[in-house]
Amino acid sequence: MRRARPWALLLLLVLALAGAGCSTAADNDDGGDDQAGGGDNVDLTQGSDLTIAVITHGDGGSFWAVAKRGAEDAAKDLGVTLKYSESNNDAQQQAQMIEAAVTDKVDGLAVSAPDPDAISSAVRRAVDANIPVITLNSGLDSFRDLGALTHVGQTEAIAGEAAGKALADAGAKKMVCVIHEQGNIGLNDRCDGANKGFGGDVENMQVKGTSDIQTTLTEIQSKLQSDNSIDAVLALNPDIAIAARDAIKGASSDAKLGTFDLSGDVIKSVANGEIQFAVDQQQYLQGYLPVQMLMLYKRNLSTVGGGQPVLTGPSLVTKENASQVQELAENGLR
Amino acid sequence: MGGAAQAKPAPPSGKPVSVVDDRLSDVSLVTKLLRRPELGALIGALAVGLFFAATAESFRTLGGVANWTDVASTLGIMAVVVALLMIGGEFDLSAGAMTGTSGLLLGVLVTEWGLSMWPAIVVTVAFAACVGLFNGVMVMKTKLPSFIVTLATFFILQGLNLGVTKAITGTVRVAGLVDVPGYESAATLFSSTFWEPYKFRISVVWWIAITLLATWVLARTRFGNWIFAVGGDANAARNVGVPVQRVKISLFVLTSTAAALVGTMIALRLGSIQAGQGIGEEFTYIISAVVGGCLLTGGYGSAIGAALGALIVGMAFIGIQFSGWNTDWRFLFLGVILLMAVLVNNLVRKSAEGARR
């Protein structure tokens, strides 16, 4: 007995722990469903029984939250099941997620393609398995090679050019372009476009990124303090834009600030003039439209775009139209 | 302590032991089992595997198995060598960035400098070994915690990855590895798939082979005993004649060489590699090793446990996707698993040590 009792007790404890793990996991499941389905699961089973996978390189920041919301709203509106996943800029993980979706035999696949080479063999697997694919957000130049039906997004270079031009029109001469993700080619394309549109002195600056906003703020502030001839800052993400806004204040600089993409805070700052403009690529549509297009393709073999990409931007949000967009953005729709 | 339990020295040849030392006394099979560091990870892996098999149909299919072993494999290779390093009492925070560095170096060598694939792989592995040597020598000579030294290496590599890549290619990635002479044969060895139509990754074979090799080294070789010794008590090990510095430096070299292997696998598989590849992965390696029973203080752990830890992460990663859960919760899930595994390990080990007396 002296030997057996502790062992039995231990076994019980281990089993209890394992059980606790399972029930915790089940709780997660419920939480996830509530988020995705908005609670009314009845809608999900109405209409078709299609499952659409949306796999992006997103990082869960405020930009991708809106794109995800778009996909979720489309799934709810259309009565399809959505499996949304994000790889947080890891190309290998994204390829693995795409391959898993193929195993899962989803009915349609929407992927962002910031690094098209890296996901091409995974996407090829989907195409070979007769799963229709649409690229979204990044992948404008590569969607045909990947075998996608179409691309839903904006042209980074053209959008960057528009932003550069807008800052030049505001009278700026020397600009810093703030890059917040190390591995995303689209961001470099934006800065290159901005360089073209700006026409003046442009310097690219790598910062820590959305995972550490405080450090990013400090980095931008030090940059402005070390060179007070900088009179324009271009942020490429709404969270970074807010950090840049505070950095400009902190450095007592009067640099003009422009940004890509919207958030509630960004629009407020545009409305009160702290941020000159925001380039809106309407990422809600980048989540919504692929789900709808894939559903239409599966049901009706309908294709959109005629072999051309479907552009969702750029459109500039300025002081004039900021208040209208503000309400939508605060609800997570813009 | 754990080291002695893990890898018992072979009994003196031929001569029967007349006086029974209590360290050599027979213990029940159950107690022996409980003392294994990988038990917690095994229970965790079974629990997670059964759970997802029950919730997601695709998880149980062979294609699904191919998916989650794929995720676990490159992670697992690193987790196993990181476990060896941790048993040896050191950390390597640069291991994740090193996979990116290796892939990028390989990419630059073949696409920009015109080397063919195999010589480039040799250069890459040699470079990685040098980084490991640097880490090891710095830690040994400065006597600073390896946590700090390799954190510095991590930042240096992260900066180099981005800066050098942009300076050479003008973008943040190196692409076009597929068109290089020697790609086919290298890809067959490092990044191909087998067993159609399920398409298991060849990296899974590497992972299993490396796990078995590491387990054999730990349990059956003198070097394995030395690893436990230097991690358990470096001074005591030195006093009984273990070459502490050489063992630890070898472990650092081993870790970064394995990172080069994984970086090569990723670069060949994707045909391109981004400057940010591998950043942040170092903690997943350490997590897998800890889930697998490694102590943060060194001197205790298991290679099989680390491989199981990586398997848990791989199963959770793919399982969450198959289940269609909101992936916002993925890290919560990983955190809960980590906590549970560590708690189970702790509990089991305490009970096992209690049972010994």
Side-chain angles (χ1 to χ4, degrees):
Chain A
M1 275 314 273
R2 261 190 77 234
R3 269 184 117 111
R5 252 181 53 205
W7 159 237
L9 190 72
L10 186 70
L11 185 73
L12 260 174
L13 276 168
V14 168
L15 284 175
L17 262 174
C22 283
S23 63
T24 317
D27 289 347
N28 296 351
D29 190 9
D30 294 344
D33 277 346
D34 284 349
Q35 288 263 321
D40 43 358
N41 287 332
V42 189
D43 278 349
L44 294 182
T45 51
Q46 279 179 355
S48 61
D49 54 354
L50 297 177
T51 299
I52 307 288
V54 179
I55 299 171
T56 74
H57 67 285
D59 54 5
S62 50
F63 175 87
W64 282 105
V66 173
K68 183 180 177 191
R69 175 73 183 272
E72 285 168 355
D73 283 358
K76 220 193 308 179
D77 291 352
L78 304 167
V80 302
T81 305
L82 173 73
K83 290 189 173 177
Y84 180 93
S85 24
E86 296 187 332
S87 74
N88 202 359
N89 296 309
D90 186 325
Q92 189 196 14
Q93 279 191 6
Q94 201 190 7
Q96 288 167 336
M97 287 168 163
I98 293 169
E99 287 172 3
V102 175
T103 306
D104 209 16
K105 298 192 175 67
V106 295
D107 299 296
L109 179 65
V111 295
S112 62
D115 186 354
D117 290 358
I119 59 166
S120 67
S121 79
V123 171
R124 180 58 54 195
R125 250 194 226 188
V127 173
D128 289 346
N130 290 320
I131 297 172
V133 179
I134 288 178
T135 57
L136 64 100
N137 183 262
S138 327
L140 183 107
D141 302 321
S142 53
F143 75 91
R144 291 185 192 89
D145 297 336
L146 287 172
L149 301 176
T150 186
H151 173 78
V152 180
Q154 78 173 355
T155 326
E156 305 287 14
I158 290 176
E161 209 174 323
K165 191 169 176 305
L167 281 171
D169 290 348
K173 296 277 181 287
K174 184 166 187 185
M175 175 172 90
V176 171
C177 190
V178 184
I179 297 182
H180 62 275
E181 287 171 14
Q182 236 188 47
N184 188 338
I185 297 132
L187 299 184
N188 281 60
D189 291 347
R190 286 179 184 174
C191 286
D192 292 347
N195 197 348
K196 201 170 154 197
F198 190 67
D201 192 357
V202 178
E203 190 184 332
N204 292 1
M205 175 189 179
Q206 176 75 45
V207 294
K208 185 88 193 205
T210 48
S211 62
D212 187 352
I213 289 290
Q214 191 54 43
T215 305
T216 302
L217 195 161
T218 314
E219 284 172 321
I220 299 172
Q221 188 167 326
S222 322
K223 182 77 190 171
L224 292 170
Q225 279 163 342
S226 69
D227 181 356
N228 54 19
S229 67
I230 295 168
D231 56 5
V233 177
L234 182 60
L236 306 180
N237 168 292
D239 297 334
I240 303 295
I242 296 303
R245 179 197 70 188
D246 296 344
I248 290 171
K249 269 187 220 158
S252 311
S253 160
D254 54 359
K256 304 259 193 301
L257 174 62
T259 182
F260 274 69
D261 307 327
L262 302 178
S263 69
D265 286 345
V266 163
I267 299 168
K268 260 185 226 158
S269 299
V270 171
N272 66 26
E274 288 171 325
I275 297 179
Q276 299 288 310
F277 63 86
V279 180
D280 186 13
Q281 61 169 296
Q282 307 187 88
Q283 72 273 24
Y284 181 87
L285 294 177
Q286 296 175 5
Y288 196 102
L289 290 178
V291 174
Q292 181 156 42
M293 289 169 171
L294 287 165
M295 193 274 280
L296 287 170
Y297 181 83
K298 282 304 279 191
R299 180 183 290 173
N300 210 30
L301 280 182
S302 305
T303 54
V304 184
Q308 297 299 312
V310 177
L311 296 187
T312 61
S315 66
L316 289 193
V317 174
T318 59
K319 209 168 179 174
E320 282 71 45
N321 60 2
S323 61
Q324 294 156 306
V325 181
Q326 180 164 7
E327 201 180 332
L328 294 165
E330 280 177 357
N331 292 328
L333 294 168
R334 285 290 295 256
Chain B
M1 285 288 278
Q6 170 76 17
K8 273 183 202 153
S13 54
K15 285 179 217 157
V17 187
S18 51
V19 184
V20 179
D21 186 326
D22 68 339
R23 286 171 299 182
L24 299 175
S25 66
D26 281 338
V27 288
S28 77
L29 182 69
V30 168
T31 312
K32 260 186 195 161
L33 207 66
L34 284 178
R35 281 188 198 163
R36 299 298 309 166
E38 58 270 8
L39 182 75
L42 183 65
I43 292 170
L46 284 174
V48 173
L50 287 173
F51 174 73
F52 280 115
T55 49
E57 196 188 328
S58 302
F59 191 85
R60 320 191 271 270
T61 65
L62 277 170
V65 177
N67 289 138
W68 46 263
T69 51
D70 170 21
V71 176
S73 62
T74 48
L75 181 62
I77 292 170
M78 291 309 297
V80 167
V81 292
V82 165
L84 294 190
L85 183 67
M86 283 175 70
I87 296 170
E90 303 291 343
F91 286 98
D92 187 355
L93 295 185
S94 69
M98 193 61 220
T99 61
T101 306
S102 314
L104 290 164
L105 176 64
L106 178 67
V108 167
L109 288 174
V110 295
T111 60
E112 301 287 333
W113 294 354
L115 261 69
S116 59
M117 194 56 82
W118 284 104
I121 290 173
V122 172
V123 173
T124 303
V125 171
F127 173 79
C130 290
V131 173
L133 192 65
F134 171 80
N135 275 340
V137 170
M138 282 299 284
V139 170
M140 289 300 110
K141 293 297 168 209
T142 61
K143 310 267 191 250
L144 286 166
S146 52
F147 203 84
I148 300 301
V149 172
T150 58
L151 185 65
T153 317
F154 166 39
F155 286 139
I156 291 169
L157 291 179
Q158 188 178 9
L160 279 177
N161 287 1
L162 184 63
V164 173
T165 308
K166 280 182 81 169
I168 292 179
T169 67
T171 67
V172 290
R173 62 169 175 154
V174 182
L177 273 73
V178 181
D179 310 320
V180 173
Y183 173 82
E184 289 300 328
S185 56
T188 307
L189 187 61
F190 293 115
S191 68
S192 57
T193 57
F194 62 96
W195 197 3
E196 295 295 322
Y198 308 113
K199 293 189 165 60
F200 279 79
R201 285 276 161 192
I202 196 80
S203 52
V204 176
V205 177
W206 281 90
W207 171 42
I208 294 169
I210 287 172
T211 306
L212 293 178
L213 185 67
T215 304
W216 176 76
V217 167
L218 280 180
R220 289 275 174 269
T221 68
R222 191 167 63 165
F223 188 71
N225 263 336
W226 285 355
I227 295 176
F228 282 107
V230 299
D233 187 337
N235 280 328
R238 192 175 290 114
N239 290 341
V240 296
V242 175
V244 173
Q245 296 208 347
R246 219 172 73 205
V247 171
K248 290 200 173 190
I249 291 173
S250 308
L251 289 173
F252 277 110
V253 172
L254 180 72
T255 307
S256 54
T257 310
L261 173 68
V262 169
T264 303
M265 285 174 174
I266 294 171
L268 290 173
R269 170 188 185 161
L270 301 179
S272 90
I273 188 146
Q274 293 182 335
Q277 183 68 49
I279 306 293
E281 290 292 299
E282 57 281 342
F283 284 108
T284 319
Y285 307 152
I286 294 174
I287 287 167
S288 301
V290 171
V291 168
C294 284
L295 288 185
L296 292 174
T297 48
Y300 189 84
S302 126
I304 288 183
L308 287 170
L311 188 67
I312 292 176
V313 175
M315 289 196 295
F317 182 90
I318 293 295
I320 289 174
Q321 204 199 351
F322 279 153
S323 311
W325 299 353
N326 195 322
T327 44
D328 295 351
W329 300 88
R330 191 198 305 153
F331 283 100
L332 172 74
F333 189 79
L334 286 179
V336 170
I337 291 177
L338 173 65
L339 198 61
M340 274 184 37
V342 176
L343 286 178
V344 170
N345 271 342
N346 209 18
L347 193 80
V348 168
R349 193 166 46 243
K350 271 189 184 148
S351 308
E353 277 167 7
R356 205 184 292 187
R357 278 187 282 274

